[in-house]
Amino acid sequence: MTLEEKISLIEETIEADKLNADMELKDVDVWDSLGRLSIIIMFDQKFNKNLNAETLAAFKTVRDIADEME
Amino acid sequence: MADLEGRVVAVTGASSGIGRAIAIQSASEGARVACCGRNAEKLEAVRSELPGDGHAVYIFDSEDLPGVESMAAAIAKGMGPLGGFVHSAGVSVTQLLRDTSYDVMEDLLRINFTVFLAFARGACRRGRYVQSAMSVVGISSMAALSADSGMSIYAASKAALNASIKSLAKEYASRGVRFNGICPNPVNTPMTDKARFLMGDSAFAEFIEKSMPLGLIEPEDVADSAIFLLSDKSRRITGSLLEITSGASSFSYV
């Protein structure tokens, strides 16, 4: 999966307008508790990965989420 | 005399959590327990720790509803007419509508709700239960009464359970069968392990302390209420939904 594809999947998951890798999540208006829940479910469904509280809290930029998508 | 002396009580979801606690307490109160579920090994482990004799394990597949109905009949034939049935089998998902799938919706409604109807249908036939000493208890949830984001399917499955209990209580009252439900806030079971994992241990503990002034609800707390509703001590109570809130008025993990 390319970085672009990952970012596109993140956009679709949290219903965000155009994102780029270096955007800070605190500036993304749909990165709220519901957005975080959707990301948790997306990782579980598409990557078979359980995100815990620490991993989630460590996400600062869009790239941080993409890096975890392996 | 113990509260359930001589009764045959069937419990779905008996292998863990609330169902396991209800199986153990029912046996302690003198019942012979049919431990029902899908995992034979886990059910056998619970059966072997029940006090008293005459308990049995019954396996069902929630996708086979006629099979669930037949199982209820088989329990009555094999162990004697039923004096109690508790539907404690259940699954929980916290998923937003945009993230969920039709499979998740159907599975959850079937396990939490339709299996209850199928079992009750099999058990509440003449000759399969003890008239005037048959009590059916559905383990529901406070989510059925007021649920937060991400709980639409789970809450709906439990609300369906509650609504059917109200109706069945009227349908079966003249035949001496009682139907009641128990609606707890989140209980300390494998089901809440996921929330604990997501939030982290300390955040979860802090959250519970703040939102539930009377403390995290344990499976045994729910089992105490179930035993009351199964026993003759509640013989005039039917169609009721007992709330176990632990002091929390609403609840949200999201």
Side-chain angles (χ1 to χ4, degrees), chain A residues 53, chain B residues 188-189 192-201 204-205 216 253:
Chain B
N188 190 16
T189 66
T192 40
D193 287 350
K194 199 161 183 188
R196 197 190 302 266
F197 173 79
L198 284 174
M199 297 172 87
D201 278 342
F204 184 78
L216 181 55
Y253 289 131

Side-chain angles (χ1 to χ4, degrees), chain B:
Chain B
M1 192 170 110
D3 279 353
L4 302 178
E5 198 65 53
R7 297 258 202 117
V8 174
V9 173
V11 182
T12 63
S15 63
S16 70
I18 296 169
R20 177 176 172 273
I22 291 170
I24 293 171
Q25 287 197 29
S26 296
S28 304
E29 292 295 333
R32 283 180 295 126
V33 180
C35 302
C36 310
R38 63 187 164 178
N39 187 322
E41 205 177 314
K42 282 191 190 169
L43 289 165
E44 191 50 50
V46 170
R47 192 198 62 82
S48 70
E49 65 176 307
L50 298 180
D53 299 316
H55 313 297
V57 165
Y58 286 85
I59 309 297
F60 70 91
D61 172 5
S62 64
E63 294 197 25
D64 174 16
L65 295 170
V68 172
E69 184 177 338
S70 311
M71 179 183 71
I75 294 169
K77 199 172 174 199
M79 300 178 71
L82 284 154
F85 160 49
V86 183
H87 182 52
S88 183
V91 283
S92 171
V93 292
T94 305
Q95 287 187 359
L96 304 182
L97 187 59
R98 68 186 180 194
D99 301 319
T100 200
S101 70
Y102 294 116
D103 283 347
V104 167
M105 293 180 195
E106 285 181 357
D107 284 352
L108 210 131
L109 284 167
R110 197 173 50 244
I111 297 166
N112 291 359
F113 170 57
T114 328
V115 163
F116 167 76
L117 292 184
F119 193 105
R121 202 167 123 108
C124 299
R125 298 283 294 232
R126 203 162 54 155
R128 293 183 191 161
Y129 63 89
V130 182
Q131 186 134 11
S132 301
M134 172 59 160
S135 170
V136 178
V137 179
I139 304 302
S140 183
S141 166
M142 284 300 288
L145 309 172
S146 162
D148 204 62
S149 309
M151 303 301 285
S152 59
I153 311 165
Y154 179 75
S157 72
K158 295 299 192 179
L161 182 63
N162 288 356
S164 72
I165 285 168
K166 291 271 184 193
S167 171
L168 291 169
K170 291 179 182 164
E171 197 169 315
Y172 281 89
S174 62
R175 277 171 276 180
V177 181
R178 299 186 292 115
F179 283 80
N180 293 287
I182 301 175
C183 301
N185 266 324
V187 178
N188 190 16
T189 66
M191 215 184 251
T192 40
D193 287 350
K194 199 161 183 188
R196 197 190 302 266
F197 173 79
L198 284 174
M199 297 172 87
D201 278 342
S202 60
F204 184 78
E206 194 184 323
F207 169 67
I208 292 297
E209 196 179 318
K210 243 191 252 168
S211 59
M212 289 178 158
L214 297 176
L216 181 55
I217 302 164
E218 296 296 335
E220 290 72 22
D221 297 322
V222 182
D224 285 340
S225 296
I227 300 302
F228 167 70
L229 289 173
L230 286 171
S231 77
D232 285 344
K233 285 182 178 159
S234 61
R235 65 187 178 277
R236 312 284 185 232
I237 300 177
T238 192
S240 74
L241 302 168
L242 205 157
E243 297 180 12
I244 305 182
T245 65
S246 201
S249 52
S250 67
F251 209 86
S252 168
Y253 289 131
V254 182

